Amino acid sequence: PNPDSWYKQQITLQQRIVKRMREYGIEPVFPGYSGMVPHNAKEKLGLNVSDPGLWCGYHRPAFLQPTDPRFQEIASLYYKELNKLYGKANFYSMDPFHEGGSVAGVDLDAAGKAIMQAMKKNNPKAVWVAQAWQANPRSQMIENLKAGDMIVLDLFSESRPQWGDPESTWHRKDGFGQHNWIYCMLLNYGGNVGLHGKMAHVIDEYYKAKESSFGKTLRGVGMTMEGSENNPVMFELLTELPWRPVHFDKNEWLKNYTVARYGKANPTVQEAWILLSNSIYNCPPENTQQGTHESIFCARPSDHPYLVSSWSEMSDYYNPDDVIRAAAMMVSVADQFTGNNNFEYDLVDIVRQAIAEKGRLVEKVVEASFASGDKQLYNT
């Protein structure tokens, strides 16, 4: 276990972060109490709990039944200690059944009301923040909660929206009902480095949602990536959406983006970015792969290397040569942007991706020549 000194350091760091956030007018979102108790709470404390089962082979925390008379007592103790450390927040995140978890024997309606009651007792102005991912939040848990008391992050809006889009594989017929929600872009899993995005679709899906009957509860956009040091163009695009009242053209936006990012217009740079936007940044709407095409150089050695991570789900949807051409175009004008940090960052990133693409193409030749016994081709 970690020493007490580690926890003290973390508390101090978090207090400094929260203080600075508030100085900038940023509302922190604290973890609220949603019924989690140790797995052996029934044996140790005599609590009435349900067993949510396993998550990836690990025991989930037990869920304290909302009908247990100690639910509100334990919730109050939790908020009391949280307030001592960081003060009260106006937003609390709670996802009691995230990524599965058995709800057998749980009165979901009562659970939602108990969680909300405990939060409101701590701060009557507080709003419950929930993540829409798979079946979370359960409809039965939130359908009878008052409008305005909850905001739902539609975590994967660009690929598996739950706001009510009938074409989504995670379609919710009624969306999030009376509750406010945020259009979110997940984009990146695990902090993997690589170019990736659904540039045109992110625009199209946002305005589709905004102009639908579910648009009346849409309250903004959110970035829900697992790693942020990548694809700045996609985050720039996402955060511009609420500022533009009507649908806009991707190519025109990109041309203006390059001027804003690099300080001047350059036709070759603009052409390179449009090429990227129509290839590696044009992941099909129905594709649900977890972020970038992974580099062959990161794969474990095998006869047929392809995926790097277990959950990648990647499938070829663009021509690697387009990325290589775009990189060459950026290199051809690099001397005109010497010392320009933004350009140099993008140049390195795009060339890195081009090298990864070239590696994938060459690997296929190596694999084929090895299988056919063509030593001459293999050695070249």
Side-chain angles (χ1 to χ4, degrees), residues 273-294:
W273 270 106
I274 290 174
L275 180 58
L276 291 171
S277 77
N278 292 327
S279 54
I280 198 167
Y281 280 113
N282 192 31
C283 186
E286 66 278 5
N287 183 304
T288 58
Q289 72 182 59
Q290 296 196 357
T292 182
H293 255 48
E294 298 169 325

Side-chain angles (χ1 to χ4, degrees), residues 176-187:
F176 307 113
Q178 69 274 26
H179 300 299
N180 294 330
W181 64 281
I182 302 291
Y183 178 89
C184 299
M185 182 178 72
L186 185 47
L187 184 68

Side-chain angles (χ1 to χ4, degrees), residues 119-378:
M119 182 190 73
K120 288 291 188 179
K121 181 180 178 182
N122 174 63
N123 180 2
K125 298 187 299 181
V127 174
W128 177 353
V129 181
Q131 300 178 92
W133 180 256
Q134 297 177 353
N136 187 68
R138 300 299 200 281
S139 296
Q140 304 97 307
M141 191 171 67
I142 67 173
E143 61 189 1
N144 292 318
L145 301 178
K146 191 174 73 174
D149 283 346
M150 168 174 275
I151 190 163
V152 181
L153 308 179
D154 194 5
L155 219 61
F156 203 9
S157 294
E158 82 271 29
S159 295
R160 283 175 164 162
Q162 298 195 41
W163 55 261
D165 186 346
E167 297 179 15
S168 173
T169 54
W170 285 357
H171 170 56
R172 289 187 185 225
K173 180 182 176 183
D174 300 317
F176 307 113
Q178 69 274 26
H179 300 299
N180 294 330
W181 64 281
I182 302 291
Y183 178 89
C184 299
M185 182 178 72
L186 185 47
L187 184 68
N188 181 275
Y189 289 75
N192 291 336
V193 175
L195 306 186
H196 179 69
K198 299 183 176 184
M199 198 171 285
H201 183 65
V202 165
I203 300 172
D204 295 342
E205 186 71 12
Y206 173 78
Y207 289 100
K208 179 180 180 180
K210 181 181 177 182
E211 294 162 8
S212 75
S213 61
F214 301 97
K216 63 182 181 295
T217 49
L218 173 60
R219 290 295 176 266
V221 298
M223 296 180 285
T224 49
M225 62 283 166
E226 292 184 356
S228 60
E229 299 295 325
N230 60 83
N231 297 293
V233 64
M234 292 303 301
F235 298 120
E236 185 77 24
L237 175 62
L238 177 75
T239 51
E240 276 210 26
L241 294 175
W243 299 96
R244 293 173 175 259
V246 295
H247 191 284
F248 55 92
D249 179 72
K250 166 184 66 70
N251 290 355
E252 283 303 311
W253 180 86
L254 266 176
K255 290 177 181 178
N256 292 326
Y257 169 79
T258 62
V259 175
R261 185 159 175 81
Y262 306 138
K264 59 183 177 182
N266 184 289
T268 301
V269 169
Q270 292 174 345
E271 186 181 350
W273 270 106
I274 290 174
L275 180 58
L276 291 171
S277 77
N278 292 327
S279 54
I280 198 167
Y281 280 113
N282 192 31
C283 186
E286 66 278 5
N287 183 304
T288 58
Q289 72 182 59
Q290 296 196 357
T292 182
H293 255 48
E294 298 169 325
S295 172
I296 197 74
F297 298 114
C298 298
R300 292 183 179 182
S302 73
D303 293 339
H304 308 286
Y306 184 62
L307 300 179
V308 176
S309 59
S310 301
W311 307 102
S312 170
E313 299 181 18
M314 71 184 198
S315 59
D316 295 334
Y317 64 85
Y318 62 94
N319 185 347
D321 286 325
D322 287 341
V323 179
I324 295 170
R325 281 202 298 133
M329 293 164 70
M330 294 288 282
V331 170
S332 73
V333 295
D335 59 343
Q336 300 177 36
F337 294 89
T338 301
N340 186 312
N341 289 341
N342 285 345
F343 182 88
E344 290 174 349
Y345 175 95
D346 291 344
L347 176 66
V348 170
D349 202 22
I350 294 168
V351 170
R352 175 208 49 73
Q353 186 70 42
I355 293 171
E357 303 297 348
K358 186 66 175 179
R360 188 174 294 281
L361 293 173
V362 171
E363 188 282 326
K364 291 179 180 178
V365 176
V366 171
E367 190 175 322
S369 61
F370 180 81
S372 65
D374 189 336
K375 292 183 179 180
Q376 183 177 356
L377 179 60
Y378 186 85

